[in-house]
Amino acid sequence: MKRLMVQETGLTFGRWRRQLHLVIALRELASGATVQRVSSDLGYESATAFIVMFKKALGTTPTRYFAS
């Protein structure tokens, strides 16, 4: 199953899931949702854990991302 995931998407399941979370987060945050709500909806233990993932992926925090 792991090989099929990589073969079909070019991504491991973990990377695919992180990309999906980013797409959902960007949509929700752009619609006015709070970081707290988005992080909770996506299953992160805390808003801080979500912000760390977001910053690793996009190089900045959600607040700064949408401020620019």
Side-chain angles (χ1 to χ4, degrees):
M1 186 71 154
K2 289 181 184 180
R3 283 189 214 158
L4 182 59
M5 182 73 176
V6 173
Q7 183 180 349
E8 293 291 321
T9 67
L11 302 169
T12 64
F13 178 75
R15 285 189 160 205
W16 175 85
R17 186 180 69 188
R18 184 172 48 221
Q19 291 297 108
L20 177 62
H21 281 184
L22 284 169
V23 169
I24 292 168
L26 289 169
R27 182 191 66 202
E28 294 300 311
L29 292 168
S31 296
T34 64
V35 170
Q36 183 69 40
R37 190 180 110 213
V38 171
S39 65
S40 177
D41 288 352
L42 292 176
Y44 286 86
E45 288 187 28
S46 66
T48 301
F50 169 77
I51 292 167
V52 167
M53 179 280 298
F54 191 98
K55 190 171 182 178
K56 281 182 181 179
L58 299 177
T60 190
T61 64
T63 301
R64 288 185 180 156
Y65 182 89
F66 284 99
S68 60

